[in-house]
């Protein structure tokens, strides 16, 4: 039986073995941790993967080649973590938009100007069957698909944006679909629809006339050799229309239904694999938690070790008063006065921890990946959002009934204890979290398998152009039939004018006859 399974595996690998260029231009560690799962899955299925990234894979993996962006973009110097801990500045929608745009422009340029990447771009001996790229404000990197004349599939790690709809030939209906930063439902009232229209229009205009032109400037500079070889390069606006499929880290339960196209595929939870056994000491600590375990992590970027000392001590005092045990992802070993019911881990296998039967609460910053993991495993969550989509994720989770939300800058020992007590002492959050887990897992196919299917499909069908709606080539005026409506209105006005002229002439004739008599 083992020989048969091995033979079948080798046969499948031989039939579906492709050369894949995987692009990870954004230097965010949490994004990389998610995208690693796609790379591993591609290689395990027999594909050869070359990845341009700021991160080493960190383990032996076959059929894998790295092109490192070295040095990596200094993201923590450019966007210091201390600013997130000390203020509420990034809860502002417009500041978040400019934060994304600035980060996208700077990280795109930095990665493409990297010596290793420029050396890679100058090579003429490479061929790829498929390009896979993260969709996170690095549009200039779409030029790799043009250079290698290969179809491209993108992975949106943060969810939907209106421009993804447009790339597939769909105009987002702002009357029922809120902007990516907003926590609105699809039944927006008048004021919400008005604000949604305003911020969506603002996003569209600035993106088209400021942000994307900046990405085009990066293309002209960093793909100069390609420009000399093939002539004028396509714009990033046209390259977006070249994307075959966008795999979106979104789930219908958390994000309300929206119009879609075949090329937009929900794959939330694709990074969640079957849980593995915990390390011995961690397993023993969690197994012996008579009153349950609370897991606390601020993710890979917002590290707990950078929390101001006053706040850190307040958190420790609260943890010391709990009857539950606490696993705290804390990135250094210099934490003093750690209570006996608290275990500090420099690195924590988050998915495996959340899968443990004794975990009764997850304290999180509200990142998309951790949010989906808590939903998958049915763990109530106390959100402490800082920036970007974290506020939106937190509010949606609170609305769903399995979470609460608090702001870090407002946190005191008393409020923190109150929030935890309300989460762990009542059963409603725990019960609701288990219900959501059932909903989250109830999919027709495993999201990672679906992701692999679409990548394979795009290669097999040479980019799968038949998936793309011709609407991508229509202007907004044509898409909304405003030109047709304009013609209809013009014809109606012409008919009215002719009738009016006719009536006026008849009146004049009648008047003249009356005068003659």
């Amino acid at each position: 039986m083992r020989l048969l399974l091995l033979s079948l595996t080798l046969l499948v690998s031989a039939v579906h073995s492709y050369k894949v260029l995987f692009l990870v231009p954004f230097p965010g560690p949490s994004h990389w941790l998610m995208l690693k799962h796609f790379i591993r899955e591609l290689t395990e299925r027999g594909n050869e993967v070359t990845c341009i990234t700021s991160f080493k894979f960190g383990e032996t993996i076959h059929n894998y080649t790295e092109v490192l962006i070295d040095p990596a973009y200094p993201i923590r110097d450019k966007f210091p973590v201390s600013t997130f801990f000390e203020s509420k500045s990034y809860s502002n929608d417009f500041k978040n938009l400019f934060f994304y745009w600035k980060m996208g422009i700077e990280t795109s340029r930095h990665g493409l100007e990297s010596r290793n990447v420029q050396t890679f771009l100058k090579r003429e001996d490479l061929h790829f069957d498929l390009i896979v790229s993260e969709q996170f404000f690095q549009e200039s990197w779409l030029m790799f698909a043009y250079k290698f004349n290969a179809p491209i599939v993108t992975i949106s790690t943060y969810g939907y944006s209106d421009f993804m709809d447009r790339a597939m030939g769909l105009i987002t209906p702002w009357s029922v679909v809120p902007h990516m930063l907003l926590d609105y439902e699809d039944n927006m009232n008048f004021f919400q629809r008005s604000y949604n229209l305003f911020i969506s229009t603002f996003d569209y205009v600035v993106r088209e006339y400021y942000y994307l032109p900046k990405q085009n400037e990066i293309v002209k500079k960093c793909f100069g050799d390609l420009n000399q070889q093939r002539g004028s390069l396509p714009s990033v606006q046209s390259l977006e229309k070249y994307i075959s499929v966008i795999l979106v880290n979104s789930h219908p339960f958390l994000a309300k239904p929206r119009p879609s196209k075949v090329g937009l595929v929900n794959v939330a939870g694709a990074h969640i694999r079957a849980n593995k056994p915990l390390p011995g000491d961690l397993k023993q600590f969690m197994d012996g938690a008579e009153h349950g375990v609370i897991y606390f992590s601020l993710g890979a970027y917002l590290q707990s070790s950078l929390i101001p000392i006053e706040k850190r001590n307040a958190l420790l005092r609260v943890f010391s008063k709990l009857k539950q045990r606490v696993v705290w992802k804390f990135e250094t070993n210099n934490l003093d006065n750690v209570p006996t019911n608290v275990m500090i881990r420099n690195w924590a296998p988050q998915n495996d921890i959340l899968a443990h039967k004794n975990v009764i609460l997850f304290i999180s910053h509200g990142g998309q990946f951790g949010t989906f993991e808590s939903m998958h495993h049915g763990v109530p969550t106390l959100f402490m959002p800082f920036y970007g989509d974290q506020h939106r994720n937190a509010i949606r989770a609170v609305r769903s009934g399995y979470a609460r939300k608090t702001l870090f800058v407002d946190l005191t020992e008393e409020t923190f204890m109150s929030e935890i007590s309300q989460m762990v002492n009542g059963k409603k959050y725990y019960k609701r979290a288990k219900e959501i887990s059932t909903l989250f897992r109830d999919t027709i196919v495993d999201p990672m398998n679906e992701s692999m299917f679409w990548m394979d499909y795009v290669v097999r069908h040479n980019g799968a152009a038949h998936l793309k709606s011709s609407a991508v080539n229509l202007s907004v005026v044509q898409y909304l039939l405003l030109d047709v409506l304009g013609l209809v209105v013009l014809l109606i006005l012409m008919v009215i004018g002719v009738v009016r002229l006719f009536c006026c002439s008849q009146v004049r004739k009648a008047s003249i006859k009356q005068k003659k008599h």
Side-chain angles (χ1 to χ4, degrees):
M1 180 61 72
R2 290 180 179 176
L3 288 173
L4 177 61
L5 290 174
L6 178 59
S7 299
L8 288 173
T9 301
L10 291 174
L11 178 61
V12 171
S13 298
V15 174
H16 299 288
S17 179
Y18 302 123
K19 292 182 181 292
V20 180
L21 176 60
F22 207 106
L23 306 175
V24 187
F26 180 62
S30 60
H31 292 236
W32 169 244
L33 291 174
M34 176 196 178
L35 295 170
K36 280 179 69 175
H37 292 286
F38 289 88
I39 295 171
R40 183 183 286 109
E41 190 73 23
L42 283 166
T43 57
E44 288 178 355
R45 292 175 182 239
N47 301 291
E48 295 180 31
V49 178
T50 298
C51 182
I52 301 179
T53 175
S54 300
F55 304 92
K56 292 185 177 180
F57 203 87
E59 58 189 89
T60 302
I61 180 172
H62 298 292
N63 300 324
Y64 180 68
T65 303
E66 287 176 337
V67 177
L68 286 176
I69 300 171
D70 186 24
Y73 177 80
I75 189 169
R76 286 195 171 88
D77 294 334
K78 295 287 187 176
F79 305 99
V81 173
S82 59
T83 61
F84 299 119
F85 285 131
E86 295 168 359
S87 70
K88 303 178 184 179
S89 61
Y90 286 94
S91 63
N92 179 284
D93 297 326
F94 296 94
K95 286 185 178 180
N96 275 320
L97 278 176
F98 280 102
F99 168 72
Y100 283 134
W101 290 326
K102 178 182 179 183
M103 175 196 62
I105 293 168
E106 292 188 3
T107 57
S108 296
R109 181 186 298 111
H110 179 90
L112 288 173
E113 290 179 347
S114 168
R115 182 175 59 183
N116 291 340
V117 176
Q118 281 297 305
T119 300
F120 180 82
L121 283 171
K122 288 178 171 61
R123 292 182 60 179
E124 299 295 334
D125 60 329
L126 297 173
H127 162 76
F128 295 101
D129 302 299
L130 177 69
I131 312 295
V132 180
S133 179
E134 180 180 10
Q135 181 100 31
F136 194 69
F137 299 91
Q138 284 85 27
E139 289 79 2
S140 50
W141 285 63
L142 296 173
M143 190 59 67
F144 279 93
Y146 178 76
K147 172 178 172 56
F148 293 107
N149 193 27
I152 183 167
V153 170
T154 62
I155 303 173
S156 172
T157 45
Y158 68 97
Y160 281 99
S161 280
D162 294 354
F163 64 82
M164 297 176 197
D165 291 343
R166 295 193 291 273
M168 291 293 123
L170 178 68
I171 299 296
T172 310
W174 293 335
S175 57
V176 292
V177 177
H179 187 271
M180 67 169 185
L181 292 177
L182 303 181
D183 61 287
Y184 297 162
E185 297 281 86
D186 53 354
N187 58 340
M188 294 177 278
N189 59 37
F190 175 81
F191 295 103
Q192 289 174 330
R193 282 186 287 114
S194 299
Y195 182 67
N196 188 50
L197 172 63
F198 178 71
I199 191 171
S200 298
T201 303
F202 178 83
D203 185 359
Y204 174 81
V205 171
V206 177
R207 186 175 189 274
E208 288 294 322
Y209 297 102
Y210 167 74
Y211 171 71
L212 290 183
K214 290 288 185 182
Q215 290 286 354
N216 277 317
E217 290 176 9
I218 295 172
V219 165
K220 291 177 182 177
K221 178 180 179 182
C222 297
F223 288 87
D225 291 346
L226 189 61
N227 185 44
Q228 293 177 1
Q229 295 168 9
R230 301 190 194 177
S232 181
L233 297 176
S235 66
V236 294
Q237 290 93 328
S238 62
L239 288 172
E240 284 187 322
K241 299 175 183 178
Y242 183 70
I243 299 172
S244 297
V245 169
I246 302 177
L247 304 175
V248 187
N249 191 29
S250 183
H251 192 281
F253 179 77
L254 194 62
K256 291 299 181 179
R258 56 188 292 149
S260 189
K261 292 280 187 180
V262 178
L264 293 166
V265 183
N266 290 322
V267 295
H271 71 291
I272 302 174
R273 289 198 163 194
N275 52 293
K276 300 176 182 178
L278 293 168
D281 58 338
L282 181 59
K283 182 178 185 304
Q284 183 178 4
F285 181 79
M286 295 181 67
D287 285 348
E290 180 183 354
H291 301 286
V293 175
I294 297 172
Y295 174 55
F296 180 27
S297 171
L298 295 181
Y301 182 71
L302 288 168
Q303 298 179 351
S304 294
S305 58
L306 300 176
I307 293 176
I309 294 177
E310 300 79 13
K311 291 278 189 180
R312 186 191 308 172
N313 291 335
L315 296 176
L316 285 171
R317 286 193 293 271
V318 170
F319 290 153
S320 68
K321 298 174 185 178
L322 298 174
K323 59 183 179 180
Q324 290 82 16
R325 291 185 177 181
V326 178
V327 177
W328 187 356
K329 178 181 171 293
F330 196 90
E331 295 74 20
T332 63
N333 295 313
N334 60 352
L335 186 60
D336 299 323
N337 302 317
V338 179
T340 56
N341 68 323
V342 176
M343 174 176 279
I344 300 298
R345 304 288 294 195
N346 299 140
W347 175 84
Q350 181 165 288
N351 182 62
D352 303 328
I353 290 174
L354 293 175
H356 195 282
K357 60 183 177 63
N358 286 343
V359 174
I360 60 172
L361 179 63
F362 177 30
I363 303 176
S364 168
H365 63 302
Q368 190 87 302
F369 314 120
T371 299
F372 286 150
E373 288 167 1
S374 66
M375 293 174 68
H376 179 87
H377 295 295
V379 179
T381 305
L382 175 58
F383 285 86
M384 287 194 292
F386 291 86
Y387 64 91
D389 63 348
Q390 296 168 10
H391 293 275
R392 178 201 65 186
N393 296 338
I395 293 172
R396 287 178 176 175
V398 171
R399 188 183 293 131
S400 298
Y402 77 99
R404 292 180 65 85
K405 171 181 175 285
T406 186
L407 290 179
F408 181 84
V409 293
D410 297 333
L411 205 65
T412 65
E413 189 173 337
E414 292 74 22
T415 60
F416 191 45
M417 176 62 83
S418 175
E419 292 291 343
I420 292 177
S421 298
Q422 292 184 68
M423 294 289 296
V424 302
N425 293 334
K427 293 293 183 182
K428 67 175 185 176
Y429 296 105
Y430 186 83
K431 180 181 177 181
R432 181 57 179 157
K434 296 305 177 186
E435 293 173 353
I436 287 173
S437 175
T438 301
L439 291 169
F440 187 85
R441 293 168 179 251
D442 193 4
T443 57
I444 193 170
V445 63
D446 175 78
M448 180 58 80
N449 286 335
E450 185 167 13
S451 300
M452 293 299 110
F453 166 81
W454 284 111
M455 290 183 191
D456 184 72
Y457 185 92
V458 166
V459 178
R460 282 188 283 118
H461 297 285
N462 301 313
H466 56 277
L467 297 180
K468 184 75 68 172
S469 169
S470 296
V472 295
N473 300 315
L474 298 179
S475 67
V476 175
V477 171
Q478 293 170 318
Y479 185 96
L480 298 177
L481 292 175
L482 297 180
D483 52 347
V484 176
L485 291 175
L487 178 60
V488 171
V489 171
L490 179 61
L491 290 174
I492 292 173
L493 291 175
M494 289 175 64
V495 171
I496 293 174
V498 170
V499 172
R500 183 177 180 182
L501 287 174
F502 176 77
C503 292
C504 289
S505 66
Q506 293 300 109
V507 170
R508 281 196 298 270
K509 289 179 181 179
S511 177
I512 291 171
K513 287 181 180 180
Q514 188 176 16
K515 288 180 179 179
K516 287 181 178 180
H517 290 294

